[in-house]
Amino acid sequence: MDRDVKFYLSKGFDQESAEYFAGGRKTLTAVKPNEDFTLTLWFDNGEVRLYDAKPLLEPGTVFEPFADYENFRRVYLDDTHCVAWDIDPKVDSDVVWSNKVDISPDSCYLDSRPVNGGM
């Protein structure tokens, strides 16, 4: 069976997500933190998108430490192309998996908006 929009809709995806997955998943190629707690994201299809990370930074969440801009700006792409932060920058997250929080490339794409002139 082809994995077209109709396929994903039949699995319970909303229209936007169904179109995204049917069109092929995107890979993050770069990330840049912005002082307003947004992230500028570059994808392998040439798109540049803006992701608002502020809703993640609420007290009591795993992202809370990154509400401090000095911590937020330590963002990077991990080896699976996820947007990631190390909770303790002195700990190797490849060794201590619980030291890292991340956001999948799919979520980054779906929850971001295009930047003018990004393609």
Side-chain angles (χ1 to χ4, degrees), residues 4-17:
D4 58 6
V5 172
K6 188 181 274 188
F7 169 83
Y8 288 104
L9 290 172
S10 75
K11 298 297 182 190
F13 286 66
D14 62 39
Q15 184 70 34
E16 181 184 15
S17 298

Side-chain angles (χ1 to χ4, degrees), residues 36-109:
D36 63 353
F37 293 93
T38 60
L39 300 168
T40 303
L41 306 169
W42 286 264
F43 289 87
D44 62 342
N45 66 346
E47 282 188 80
V48 179
R49 298 178 69 90
L50 192 66
Y51 181 91
D52 184 1
K54 289 183 287 296
L56 298 176
L57 308 176
E58 295 295 318
T61 69
V62 296
F63 293 96
E64 179 181 7
F66 308 105
D68 175 336
Y69 185 71
E70 290 305 308
N71 291 333
F72 182 77
R73 68 188 195 115
R74 294 193 334 253
V75 67
Y76 65 95
L77 292 182
D78 69 10
D79 59 348
T80 62
H81 303 277
C82 291
V83 168
W85 291 268
D86 293 329
I87 296 167
D88 182 343
K90 298 177 202 125
V91 174
D92 183 349
S93 290
D94 290 332
V95 175
V96 180
W97 68 269
S98 62
N99 186 55
K100 180 172 77 172
V101 296
D102 59 26
I103 310 167
S104 76
D106 299 327
S107 292
C108 286
Y109 190 89

